[in-house]
Amino acid sequence: MSVRAYRIDRLGTLLSVLVAVALILLPFVVFKSNRIVPGEPKALAAVLPTWATIGFYACVLGVAAVAIGLSSARIRFVASLAGIVASAAALAAAADRLTPLGNKVVRVAPGAGFWVLLLGLGLLTTDAVARMRLAPAARVLLLVLVLFVAYTTLADGIFDNLSIMREYAVNADRFAVEARRHVGLVAGSLGLAVIVALPLGILCHRVPRLRPGVLGTLNLIQTIPSIALFGILMVPLGELATSVPLAARLGISGIGAAPAATALFLYSLLPIVANTVAGLRRVSPATVEAARGMGMTPLQVLSAIEIVLALPVILTGIRIVLVQNIGLTTIAALIGGGGFGTFVFQGIGQTATDLVLLGAIPTVALAFCAAVLLDALIEVLDRGKR
Amino acid sequence: MITLENLTKRYGEATVVDDVTLTIERNSITVIVGTSGSGKSTLLRMINRLVEPTCGRVLIGGTDTTGEPAHLLRRRIGYAIQSHGLFPHRTVAENIAVVPRLLGWEPARTQGRVKELLEIFQLDPATFADKFPHQLSGGQQQRVGVARALAAEPEVLLMDEPFGALDPIIRTKAQEDLLNIQKRFNTTIVLVTHDIDEAFRLGNRVAVMSAGRVLQYGRPAELLTQPADPLVARMTGVADRAMKLLSLTTAAEAARPGSSDGPAVAASASLREVLSELLWQGAASASVIEADGSCKGYLTVEAILSHGHPS
C-alpha cells in the first residue's frame, strides 16, 4: 500500500519566501512631505497600531500557510483574495494615519514591500483561478465582480489619501479624456488592422507564393522599434498634411493621433495575418473538400466552414494585438498621440512616480481585462471542434 | 444514366485521366477500381466537377453537366469521401442537413429527413442528433458521412474510398448497409476503391483503371473469366479466381428445385459460403432457405463446383 506523500506546493512556497523577504527588507509605505521630494520609507509597525500590525501579519502568514500546504483551488483562491483585501486595507489605513487631517500636500505612496506583496498575491490568485478550471462565463463574471468592487472602493474614497489617488484628483478631467483616447487608438488601429489583415491572411493561404513575401515584410515592420517607427511616420504624414489640405482638415499631421494610429495599425498586421494563415491551415482538407462536394459556393465554404473553424486561432492573434497595442499606445504620448502614456511621460519629466503610476496602472488593468475577455471568447468558440 | 465521353485530365505534362469513355447504368452500383495514382479519384471528381476535365464531357440523364453552375450540380449529386469530411463545428443533425438547407427545404421536411436517415443508419436520433462528430466512433462518423450525402435524395451518389478508414469487421457491415441502401432508394452509385474484393462484392459493374485508362469494364464475372488485359487478371487474382467466381453467385440463383436432408443455408449466402459450410459439415448437399423460412430448393457440392468453372 502506498501512502500519499504530503505535498508542498512549489509555487506557493516560492512566492511566500519572496514576499517574506520583501516584507522584512523593503518598506511597506513611503512618506513624502510633498510631491517631488525623495520619500522616507516606513515599516507598517511604525504606522499602524500594534494590534492592527499583528493582525495583518497574521493574515499574511495564514495566506502563506494555505499557499504552501493546501491543494484545494477554492481555498487557495479565497485565501489569496482575502490577502489582497487585507493588504489594500492596510495600505489605506496607513495612508489615512500618515496624512494630517485636511493636508493635501503630503504624499503616502505604496512602498516596494507592498508591491512585491501585491504581486505575490496576484500571482497566487490567478494561479488559483486557473486551477479551478472555471468556465469562460464564470471567469468573465469574476472579472466583472472584481472591477465592480475596485470601482466602488475607489469611488467611496477609501484610497483618497494614497498618492496615486491624489494625482488622480488633480487630473480627473484629463484622465477621462486620455482614457477615451487610449481606448480609441487601440480600438481604431485594431479595427482597421482586422479589416486589412483578414483578407490578406486569406489571400496568403490561397496563394502560397505570396506567403513568404507578405509575412517577411510584416516581420520586418515588427522589428522596427516603436519609437523609431513613430519617428519614421512623422515625416511622410507631415508632408501629406502640408501638400493635401483635405488630409490636414481630417486631422492628419506629422504628430498626434495619425502617426500613432498608423504605427499601431502596422504592428497589428503580422499577428493577425500569421494567425489567419495558421488557422486556415488547421482546417482539414477533407472538410473543405466535402463542403465543396456538397455544393457550397466558394464564399459559403470560406465563411461558413473555413473562417468559422479558423476563428479561435484568428482570435488568438487578435488577442495578442489587443494586449500589445494597449501597452504600445502608452508610447504614442511621446508624439502627442495622447492616452495613458501622457501621464507616464509627464511623471517621468517631473520625477513624480505617482503620476507615472496613474498612467501605468490603468494600462496594465486594461490589458489584463482585454486578455481575460478574449481568452474566454476563444475558449467558448473552440469547444466541440476537434 | 451517366455517360462519360472521352474524359481527359492533364496537369501540365502529366495525363491523369486519359480519354475515358464509360456508360454508367441507372439504379446500379458501378465500382471504379485501380491502384493509387491510376486516376480513379480524378475520374470520379470530374463527374461532380470538383475537377474540370481538360477535354471530354459528362452527361447525366442525357444533359451536359456544364450547363449549370458547378455548385448547383453538386447539390443534386451525393458525395461521400474516405475521411468522411464531417464539419467538426456542427452537430450530426446539422451535418446531415447541409444540402437540404442549401436547397432551401422547409425546416420540418429537413428535420424529418434527418430523423429518417439516422434511423436507417441505426443511429438513434435522440442519442446522436446533437452530438458532434468527434464524439462518434469511426464507423458512426462514416455512416453520418453517407447519410449526409444521401440527405437531399440525390439520384446519383459518388463515393471515394468510403470505407477505406474502417477496420475489416465494420467495413463488411458498412458494405452490407450500402447494398441495402441502394436497394431501398434505387440510387445510382459510383464508388471508387483500390480493393478488388470490395469491388466484386458491391459492383454490378466494375471498371478496372490503370495509368489513367480503363482497361476493362464489365460484370465482375466477366473480369474473372475473360480478363481483357494481363493486368486485369493480375489484379483480380489468378490463384483464387474460381473461389471468387463462386462468391459472385448467391445460393438462391443457383438452387435447383427440390429439397435436401443436408444443412440449411440462407438464400442470400454466396456459393463460396455454402461450399465452405458443406465442407465443414462433411455434407454433400444443402437446402436453400429464404428469409421468410420457405424452401427455395437445394444445392449439391457438384452443382456448386460447376459454377466455379469459366463457361
Side-chain angles (χ1 to χ4, degrees):
Chain A
M1 237 181 83
S2 72
V3 180
R4 242 184 96 187
Y6 184 75
R7 294 284 287 270
I8 285 181
D9 190 273
R10 285 189 197 166
L11 180 75
T13 311
L14 178 73
L15 289 176
S16 298
V17 170
L18 190 75
V19 166
V21 170
L23 283 181
I24 292 166
L25 295 180
L26 300 169
F28 194 81
V29 288
V30 176
F31 178 82
K32 293 184 267 189
S33 50
N34 67 50
R35 186 168 175 246
I36 300 165
V37 293
E40 173 192 336
K42 298 248 183 210
L44 203 55
V47 182
L48 292 188
T50 319
W51 63 268
T53 313
I54 292 173
F56 174 69
Y57 282 122
C59 179
V60 173
L61 270 176
V63 177
V66 170
I68 294 170
L70 286 183
S71 60
S72 158
R74 275 158 199 268
I75 297 177
R76 294 172 72 89
F77 174 68
V78 171
S80 47
L81 216 56
I84 291 178
V85 171
S87 313
L91 183 69
D96 288 348
R97 283 180 71 91
L98 282 171
T99 309
L101 205 63
N103 188 323
K104 301 262 179 205
V105 180
V106 299
R107 294 294 167 110
V108 183
F114 173 82
W115 289 121
V116 175
L117 176 65
L118 192 67
L119 177 76
L121 289 168
L123 285 175
L124 268 183
T125 314
T126 45
D127 175 59
V129 171
R131 287 193 204 185
M132 282 197 289
R133 295 177 197 283
L134 285 180
R139 293 205 304 265
V140 172
L141 195 72
L142 195 64
L143 178 70
V144 171
L145 217 68
V146 167
L147 288 179
F148 176 75
V149 171
Y151 177 77
T152 36
T153 46
L154 288 176
D156 259 11
I158 293 173
F159 297 101
D160 275 1
N161 278 328
L162 215 59
S163 56
I164 303 169
M165 292 312 286
R166 279 281 163 76
E167 291 291 352
Y168 173 74
V170 178
N171 294 299
D173 295 340
R174 273 179 58 219
F175 187 84
V177 172
E178 300 302 353
R180 269 200 297 276
R181 284 201 93 171
H182 200 103
V183 173
L185 272 174
V186 171
S189 58
L190 177 67
L192 204 63
V194 170
I195 293 171
V196 173
L198 209 57
L200 201 58
I202 293 166
L203 196 70
C204 284
H205 174 71
R206 290 284 165 86
V207 191
R209 269 182 304 126
L210 290 178
R211 218 175 291 160
V214 171
L215 290 181
T217 310
L218 295 180
N219 241 321
L220 193 73
I221 293 175
Q222 210 76 10
T223 58
I224 304 174
S226 46
I227 295 180
L229 187 56
F230 286 132
I232 292 169
L233 285 169
M234 281 166 77
V235 181
L237 285 173
E239 298 258 318
L240 185 71
T242 45
S243 56
V244 184
L246 179 71
R249 236 179 299 148
L250 283 172
I252 294 174
S253 66
I255 57 163
T262 311
L264 291 171
F265 161 77
L266 289 173
Y267 282 132
S268 307
L269 292 176
L270 178 68
I272 304 181
V273 172
N275 278 47
T276 303
V277 173
L280 289 173
R281 223 192 248 176
R282 188 179 83 145
V283 180
S284 136
T287 305
V288 177
E289 158 101 356
R292 289 181 63 214
M294 299 285 110
M296 289 190 174
T297 61
L299 198 66
Q300 283 169 334
V301 176
L302 183 68
S303 63
I305 306 297
E306 292 188 278
I307 297 276
V308 176
L309 286 174
L311 203 56
V313 180
I314 297 176
L315 276 177
T316 309
I318 291 178
R319 176 198 183 281
I320 294 169
V321 166
L322 188 58
V323 173
Q324 166 191 285
N325 280 11
I326 288 173
L328 268 180
T329 301
T330 3
I331 300 176
L334 266 187
I335 50 162
F340 289 130
T342 316
F343 300 120
V344 174
F345 288 110
Q346 219 171 25
I348 292 173
Q350 301 172 359
T351 62
T353 325
D354 306 328
L355 193 55
V356 174
L357 288 176
L358 183 66
I361 290 176
T363 309
V364 173
L366 203 59
F368 181 75
C369 295
V372 170
L373 286 176
L374 270 172
D375 279 342
L377 184 65
I378 292 164
E379 198 179 315
V380 167
L381 287 172
D382 208 11
R383 265 192 198 167
K385 277 195 186 168
R386 263 176 262 198
Chain B
M1 195 169 74
I2 305 171
T3 315
L4 315 182
E5 286 183 3
N6 308 102
L7 270 186
T8 298
K9 181 68 191 178
R10 289 191 203 96
Y11 291 104
E13 292 289 295
T15 305
V16 180
V17 173
D18 189 3
D19 193 27
V20 169
T21 299
L22 271 189
T23 302
I24 290 158
E25 280 170 35
R26 284 189 58 181
N27 311 337
S28 69
I29 301 183
T30 300
V31 178
I32 303 168
V33 66
T35 50
S36 60
S38 60
K40 56 190 191 301
S41 283
T42 309
L43 185 66
L44 187 81
R45 288 150 56 88
M46 282 196 276
I47 297 176
N48 66 358
R49 291 178 60 197
L50 279 174
V51 173
E52 295 287 356
T54 309
C55 54
R57 57 181 194 155
V58 178
L59 307 173
I60 296 181
T63 321
D64 193 323
T65 52
T66 51
E68 63 183 322
H71 64 272
L72 295 182
L73 170 77
R74 289 182 202 133
R75 289 174 195 177
R76 297 195 288 114
I77 300 177
Y79 186 54
I81 55 178
Q82 171 171 1
S83 39
H84 63 73
L86 294 177
F87 301 151
H89 58 307
R90 298 202 182 166
T91 63
V92 166
E94 287 167 343
N95 263 289
I96 297 176
V98 168
V99 185
R101 284 207 184 132
L102 287 171
L103 291 170
W105 283 19
E106 295 280 324
R109 185 181 170 202
T110 308
Q111 264 178 6
R113 179 66 176 166
V114 169
K115 194 159 169 281
E116 182 192 356
L117 281 165
L118 282 173
E119 278 161 1
I120 291 171
F121 282 91
Q122 298 130 47
L123 297 163
D124 174 30
T127 316
F128 289 97
D130 294 327
K131 286 204 170 171
F132 284 95
H134 71 97
Q135 295 169 306
L136 307 181
S137 71
Q140 289 164 345
Q141 288 173 342
Q142 191 275 336
R143 275 183 272 165
V144 175
V146 179
R148 178 173 70 171
L150 288 168
E153 297 163 1
E155 280 174 50
V156 178
L157 171 60
L158 308 181
M159 308 181 91
D160 195 347
E161 300 257 8
F163 312 125
L166 303 181
D167 65 59
I169 293 172
I170 299 175
R171 189 185 308 157
T172 308
K173 173 84 174 67
Q175 289 166 345
E176 269 165 30
D177 287 347
L178 186 69
L179 289 170
N180 291 332
I181 296 272
Q182 198 278 327
K183 282 199 193 97
R184 180 174 181 142
F185 294 121
N186 246 329
T187 317
T188 307
I189 297 176
V190 186
L191 185 145
V192 159
T193 181
H194 65 269
D195 178 354
I196 192 79
D197 291 322
E198 182 167 275
F200 281 179
R201 193 179 151 92
L202 296 175
N204 300 103
R205 295 183 132 238
V206 174
V208 181
M209 273 190 89
S210 177
R213 295 185 143 267
V214 171
L215 299 178
Q216 188 170 6
Y217 180 45
R219 301 192 173 282
E222 282 170 36
L223 301 188
L224 277 170
T225 55
Q226 299 144 36
D229 187 288
L231 202 72
V232 174
R234 265 225 315 279
M235 274 190 74
T236 53
V238 174
D240 64 342
R241 55 189 169 182
M243 300 310 285
K244 280 214 174 89
L245 200 53
L246 286 184
S247 68
L248 293 174
T249 311
T250 63
E253 287 163 346
R256 294 176 182 179
S259 66
S260 144
D261 309 333
V265 294
S268 61
S270 72
L271 290 184
R272 179 181 181 153
E273 287 162 337
V274 176
L275 180 64
S276 170
E277 186 62 23
L278 288 176
L279 289 174
W280 188 255
Q281 302 218 6
S285 66
S287 41
V288 178
I289 307 299
E290 291 275 20
D292 59 11
S294 64
C295 182
K296 174 91 183 170
Y298 77 104
L299 277 169
T300 61
V301 170
E302 270 164 272
I304 294 172
L305 293 183
S306 70
H307 279 275
H309 183 68
S311 57

